[in-house]
Amino acid sequence: MDDAQIRRGRPADAPDYAELALLTGPELLPAIFGSESNFKKVMRGSFPRTKSPFSFEHSHFIEMDGRTAGMALALTHDQMSKEQLRTMLLLVRYLKLAFVTQIAHIYRSSEIMAQTEEGDSYLANIATYPEFRTRGLGPRLMDAVEMEAGAAGSRRIVLHVETDNKKAIELYERLSFRAEPKAPVPRITPHYVEFA
C-alpha cells in the first residue's frame, strides 16, 4: 500500500468520479436522476465546474501504480448552502426535460443532504474500484476527508448509506461512525462521527 498516493481531484477526473460515485448508490442514484446514463451525464458535466457539491474542488482521489483506485467527495454545510442555486442550474442544464420528471426525487435527495447542521461536513461519496478493495484505501481516503473537515472547523462528518449496503456500513463502523437513531427515509440511514 506504500505506492498509494492521495491527491486533490482535478477536472479531468470527471469520468472516474461518475463511475465511482455510481458505485456508492447503484440503485438509488439512477432512481433519483431517472437513469444511470442521466446520473453519469450530470456528474461528468458538473464535476469539472467549481462551486457545486459535485465539483472536483471537494474531492480527493487515491491512485495505485498510476491508476485511479478510488475517490471521496465531501464538503462543509456552509459550502452546500452557498452552492444550492448553482447545483439546480447544473441539474437543469444536464438533465434538460428529465429534470421536470425527476424534480420530486431530486428535491427529496436534497432534503436528505440538508440534514447537516452548521459545523458539519457532509461525505457525499467514497468508493474504490472493485479491483482495489481490501487494500485499506477507504480508510486512507477517510483520513484525508477528516483532515480537511477538521481544518475547515467541522465538528463532525455526516453521511448517508443505504441500509442494505452492509460492506459500507461495516467500513463506517470500523471508522467510528455511529448511526442516528431515526432514518429520514426508508432504506437510508444517516451516520456521523464527531471529532474529539
Side-chain angles (χ1 to χ4, degrees):
M1 188 169 65
D2 291 326
D3 60 344
Q5 301 292 317
I6 294 182
R7 63 169 174 80
R8 295 297 309 201
R10 302 182 289 242
D13 292 318
D16 278 314
Y17 174 72
E19 294 297 327
L20 287 160
L22 186 59
L23 294 175
T24 68
E27 293 179 27
L28 179 65
L29 295 172
I32 291 170
F33 289 86
S35 69
E36 183 176 312
S37 64
N38 279 352
F39 172 76
K40 288 181 179 180
K41 181 178 10 176
V42 170
M43 295 305 116
R44 286 182 186 137
S46 300
F47 189 80
R49 308 213 180 304
T50 59
K51 300 188 180 12
S52 158
F54 311 123
S55 175
F56 70 94
E57 62 192 343
H58 303 303
S59 68
H60 289 87
F61 280 74
I62 193 162
E63 295 179 343
M64 288 192 73
D65 303 322
R67 293 175 49 211
T68 298
M71 69 80 202
L73 188 138
L75 60 162
T76 66
H77 173 78
D78 189 48
Q79 289 168 323
M80 282 194 310
S81 297
K82 288 178 181 175
E83 297 171 0
Q84 282 181 334
L85 177 60
R86 177 138 167 94
T87 302
M88 285 302 140
L89 294 174
L90 288 169
L91 288 171
V92 169
R93 178 180 184 174
Y94 293 110
L95 288 176
K96 299 189 183 338
L97 288 176
F99 179 80
V100 176
T101 61
Q102 296 306 119
I103 188 71
H105 301 294
I106 291 167
Y107 178 75
R108 186 65 179 126
S109 69
S110 69
E111 278 186 324
I112 292 168
M113 288 176 63
Q115 292 176 353
T116 60
E117 302 169 0
E118 189 69 37
D120 287 348
S121 281
Y122 184 75
L123 179 62
N125 308 102
I126 185 169
T128 57
Y129 282 118
E131 63 267 31
F132 292 103
R133 291 185 184 152
T134 71
R135 296 185 188 187
L137 302 182
R140 296 229 3 227
L141 282 165
M142 277 304 304
D143 287 345
V145 168
E146 287 182 12
M147 283 179 48
E148 187 161 301
S154 295
R155 69 180 190 284
R156 68 181 188 163
I157 296 175
V158 178
L159 62 88
H160 291 84
V161 63
E162 293 181 48
T163 56
D164 59 355
N165 191 344
K166 304 298 182 203
K167 293 237 183 249
I169 291 168
E170 288 172 11
L171 170 66
Y172 299 139
E173 288 173 348
R174 279 196 316 271
L175 296 172
S176 301
F177 279 80
R178 296 184 311 242
E180 290 278 346
K182 294 182 182 177
V185 293
R187 301 194 59 224
I188 299 174
T189 304
H191 287 68
Y192 69 94
V193 62
E194 293 186 27
F195 294 110

